[in-house]
Amino acid sequence: MSNSWDANHYDAAHSYVWTLAADLIELLAPQRGERVLDLGCGTGHLTAKIAERGAVVVGIDASAEMVRQAQENYPGLSFRVGDATSFEVDEPVDAVFSNATLHWVKDARGAAGRIVRALRPGGRLVAEFGGKGNVREVCRAIAAGLEAVGAPSFESLSPWYFPSIVEYAAVLEGAGLEVTFATLFDRPTLVEAGLRSWVEMYGTTFLAAVGEQKREAFLDAVEEAARGALFKEGKWVADYRRLRVAARRVG
Ligand code: BEZ
């Protein structure tokens, strides 16, 4: 969650992040008056959907730029800057909701500990993020691009955490949550803005390691390496795989 984000670009070109996860709100089933924390709220669109159901929701995000954009998008809602491994809540919440965030948190145990602390006993977590095998072809292409320009390896740089169901259930159980639902599913995702734009948005760690001089050669090499697997009928389709979980705080 420490990436620097271009919130305008995110809102304009990556809206699939929240439009494709709208049904996650059905799994959350927010009730009128419930206190909900949206962990990794981005520009606030799902936070607003939760608020529409009558819940009292606070959005937090590690990026000050995202929080600023969320507040501009939804001035009537509460947003603040906070990291998944260190955030605090004023009062325990009934539910923690999180979409497309936890794959940025390599300290999964740290985040799970914070989530448990934020929940009232019996409170629930509903989360979706990249699971085992997520963006496998994109990762392969980035690895090839890094190699092509002589940059450090993908493994040494990757900021992402894509666990299996078993791995993540163990993290949640270890923190004091009881897993009530878990599924891992493919969700090929059309990236209208193109793979280059995707890497520019989400791959800032790799771009920083590559440096300005080799940036274009790196992006060309990534596109070339990914084309066979991900460029379909003139469009880029990223090989997303989602891990969707629900869990309840025990005691
Ligand atoms: C994802 O939503 O799966 C994702 C987004 C950015 C980087 C890696 C994965």
Side-chain angles (χ1 to χ4, degrees), residues 44-61:
H45 300 296
L46 292 177
T47 324
K49 292 259 173 264
I50 296 168
E52 274 170 21
R53 304 285 192 96
V56 180
V57 61
V58 174
I60 72 169
D61 202 283

Side-chain angles (χ1 to χ4, degrees), residues 133-216:
N134 189 42
V135 290
R136 181 174 276 143
E137 293 298 336
V138 176
C139 293
R140 272 201 195 123
I142 292 173
L146 291 169
E147 203 179 327
V149 298
S153 72
F154 174 83
E155 287 71 26
S156 70
L157 295 172
S158 173
W160 302 324
Y161 166 70
F162 301 137
S164 69
I165 289 181
V166 168
E167 203 179 330
Y168 200 62
V171 168
L172 296 180
E173 285 180 7
L177 290 156
E178 191 169 68
V179 177
T180 54
F181 174 84
T183 180
L184 180 67
F185 58 98
D186 288 325
R187 193 172 63 208
T189 299
L190 175 65
V191 184
E192 301 251 22
L195 185 65
R196 225 179 168 85
S197 161
W198 192 98
V199 175
E200 286 175 334
M201 179 79 211
Y202 299 120
T204 52
T205 316
F206 307 112
L207 290 166
V210 162
E212 255 329 293
Q213 266 198 334
K214 295 182 177 168
R215 180 186 172 100
E216 293 310 308

